[in-house]
Amino acid sequence: MSSEPQFFDQPGGFVGKPLVRVEGREKVTGKAKYSAEFPLPGLTYGVLATSPIAKGKIQSIDTTAAAKELGVIAVLTHQNLPKLAKTPDSPEGKKATSAPMGFMPLTSDEIFYAGQPVALVVADTLDHAIYAATLVKVNYAPESPIANFHDARAKLFNPAQVQDGKVDGHKRRGDAKTAFASAPIQLTATYTHPIYHHNPMEPGSTTAHWEAPDRLTVYESTQGVTRTQTTLVAMTGLPREQVRVITKYLGGGFGCKGSCWPHTVLTVQAAKAVGRPVQLMLTRKQQFTSMGHREDQSQTLQLGATADGKLTSLIHTKQSTTSPWDEYAESNSKIINLLYACPTFEASYEMARANVMTSTFMRAPGEAPGSFALECSMDDLAARLGVDPIEIRLRNHADHDYSTGQPWSSKSLKQCYARGAELFGWSKRNPKAGQTRDGRYLVGMGMATASYPVHSSQGTARARLYADGHAVVQSGATDLGTGTYTVMTQVAADSLGLPIEKVRFELGDTNLPTAPNSGGSIAAGTVSSSVFMAAQDVWQRLIKIAVGDKKSPLYKAKPEDVTVEKGRLFLKKDPKKGEGYADLMKRADLTDIEGMGRGRYGAGYETGHAASPAGPGNNTESAAEHSMHSFGAHFCEVRVDMDLGIIRVSKWVSVMGAGRILNAQTARSQIIGGAIFGIGSVLMEATERDAKYSRYTNADLANYHVPVNADIPNMTVEFVEEHDPYINAMGVKGIGEISMVGVAAAVANAVYHATGKRLRDLPLTPEKVMMAGVAS
């Protein structure tokens, strides 16, 4: 049993407070440099030319006109692009490169999807490159593509595993089919989802610089510098220490920047070819065909229950579209298997190959669409029985994880229900659907449960404390724009006992201690624990110096008898006996002292007895013995104009139980952002793919609709206090994903309550509302 200190008993004044962003001034003044804003000497600009067809072969490429244009340095195609040491074009290659897609463009004359790069033009200015790219003439031998799993030519198959091999393609717990057949109440419903695209404000951007023939630096818009480095190391054949990836600021990601996509590798190859730095930024249209998407899918849920509404069976099936090479599908069934107490469960997946690029993880992959099916079905069950939607959930509350049999590490869901209902005014809800009006508008109230797992992860951090009273803390994490710079500064300040203005936190560089991706809601818990542990290492080193220093009041004390508070080392049993770290370091002639820490998140973390500034712990259970999740509840009011079919969200409340909250302000913003993300997915967002040509027809932000301020009401967000000693040293659970889980269902349930008609085909556009009408 390993032992680690915990933050719970640490005094301090910054963690949890609504501190304003420490990097805010840099962003609003334009000093913050994003990946396409580094003015390197000799910088050139790359622009992709892409295929208009979705299937076929290149017969010929004429680059003559493009190459003659003013400022053009190179026109690169599959015929002259520098070769890679390794590609992901085989299962073995994909695994070795950690690439998100089992195909690398510009390696052959084959076309597999519309928007596939066929050439890369490098020029001295961006305008020159853009124009020259239009002059690349490609002759194709087109073939008829398959656009999606609905195509009559598409062949559905049952994958052994989905989500890149992380989840079994068929899961069974008990005999769900027999239980369903004998259930007094049986509900079966199909839910359909369109293609969704992430559309971060900052498109995918890369600046590649070969500083020497065997040394590469890449400024990249990535959610994980280490993961990007891993892919580039494999594909270039360079040693890891010769590949540096830097991401100081990121303009959003939502999952699409969680992997190293082909355009990044092509930029590296182009920089090698021209012998100068190359910068490439995807256009908004190219963003739709370069960095994945949430796949189009249909899911059917069969729900069996007793006469009083207790679940006896859940059977889930999903069909979706995948690429010609990969078997990626979101694992929707995971949340269905664990959210409620149900003795039997079965899930299966079907997918069909089509001429599209590989889909990828998008905010709450699996949990977001899976919760839509489950939470709508739970409301349908409540309506069938004539009971309140919260009551049906309480009747089926899971006191342990039925998918694993494990106890929860912590669970505050009942408190979230109660507090959310109070804040929202749920008691005023008319129990009958379609009966509440406000003038011309039908008014409905809906709610849904939210949950997201604690994924196992680990990372490292370095803390350097200076005798003059300031500190520099470093970790190779990334800040998606959600506040990592700020919350880690808060953790470091409290852990080191320093004023906030005396701490500088640095991130986004593979030269810094390794950290995981910012994705899957793991960054806050992992990196904060790493920072805390690095600070503890600093104190342990200083304690060792103190107990060996004859001039120290702590001379010859046992290290385990010494603790630290606000920069002062003292005896636990005699707090008056001690000294400040500055005096100790001055006597030791130390200008600074450095500590390293490894933070673990999830099943790899254990707590036990620890001799540390945090004091002795008394928990001896391992996190691996528990199921670890965040839980919460969303409450929504809608107003539906049946004459125009318009749905307006008029009130919103979210209450979350997510462990320790590092910053009240940034955490609230995370929940609001995720809820808006979910509202967009249920009411307006959808990428349209032409069924004949397998091309996107709305690949821009004018036609891919996302919510704006006018679509969103004032939102109320609260967190219930939750102490979880099992998940990590900080007791922190991520909140980036749970903020979206259940949102679509809460809105759809409110629409059902307003109209009395259940809509299951997303998004809930005006024409679908008007076609459904109102229950009589």
Side-chain angles (χ1 to χ4, degrees), residues 88-89 94 99-105 113 261-262 323 325-326 356-358:
D89 292 23
K94 185 181 179 185
M101 184 166 72
F103 169 70
M104 183 66 203
Y113 60 94
W261 292 97
S323 68
W325 328 277
D326 299 310
V356 299
M357 76 174 305
T358 302

Side-chain angles (χ1 to χ4, degrees), residues 160 167-179 313-317 333-334 337 342-349 402-404:
V167 179
D168 289 339
H170 192 187
K171 183 80 172 179
R172 178 180 294 169
R173 177 167 53 79
D175 189 347
K177 291 179 179 177
T178 298
S313 173
L314 289 168
I315 303 172
H316 179 259
T317 58
S333 64
K334 287 194 297 183
N337 192 11
C342 184
T344 69
F345 169 82
E346 186 169 344
S348 59
Y349 295 82
Y402 275 70
S403 70
T404 65

Side-chain angles (χ1 to χ4, degrees), residues 376-425:
C376 288
S377 293
M378 291 298 288
D379 258 41
D380 289 346
L381 177 60
R384 178 80 164 263
L385 294 171
V387 303
D388 187 87
I390 295 179
E391 172 59 26
I392 202 67
R393 288 165 172 82
L394 290 173
R395 291 183 189 182
N396 291 283
H397 182 269
D399 293 323
H400 67 274
D401 185 345
Y402 275 70
S403 70
T404 65
Q406 295 174 312
W408 305 111
S409 61
S410 62
K411 186 176 184 180
S412 306
L413 181 55
K414 290 181 179 180
Q415 295 93 311
C416 293
Y417 288 153
R419 181 58 177 157
E422 178 184 4
L423 290 170
F424 186 78

Side-chain angles (χ1 to χ4, degrees), residues 490-544:
Q490 291 173 265
V491 172
D494 275 359
S495 301
L496 292 170
L498 297 177
I500 205 84
E501 65 272 11
K502 293 294 186 180
V503 177
R504 184 173 80 248
F505 181 69
E506 298 177 349
L507 54 66
D509 192 329
T510 51
N511 281 357
L512 301 180
T514 302
N517 267 30
S518 288
S521 296
I522 63 174
T526 307
V527 181
S528 65
S529 296
S530 303
V531 169
F532 173 67
M533 295 304 297
Q536 304 318 299
D537 190 38
V538 168
W539 295 130
Q540 290 303 310
R541 291 172 186 271
L542 285 171
I543 289 170
K544 186 177 180 180

Side-chain angles (χ1 to χ4, degrees), residues 143-162:
E143 300 176 36
S144 178
I146 294 175
N148 52 52
F149 71 93
H150 298 290
D151 193 300
R153 297 166 298 161
K155 297 179 181 178
L156 288 165
F157 65 94
N158 298 103
Q161 294 176 313
V162 298

Side-chain angles (χ1 to χ4, degrees), residues 80-105:
N80 63 346
L81 191 69
K83 301 301 181 185
L84 295 166
K86 194 171 292 183
T87 68
D89 292 23
S90 67
E92 298 76 22
K94 185 181 179 185
K95 183 177 181 180
T97 59
S98 298
M101 184 166 72
F103 169 70
M104 183 66 203

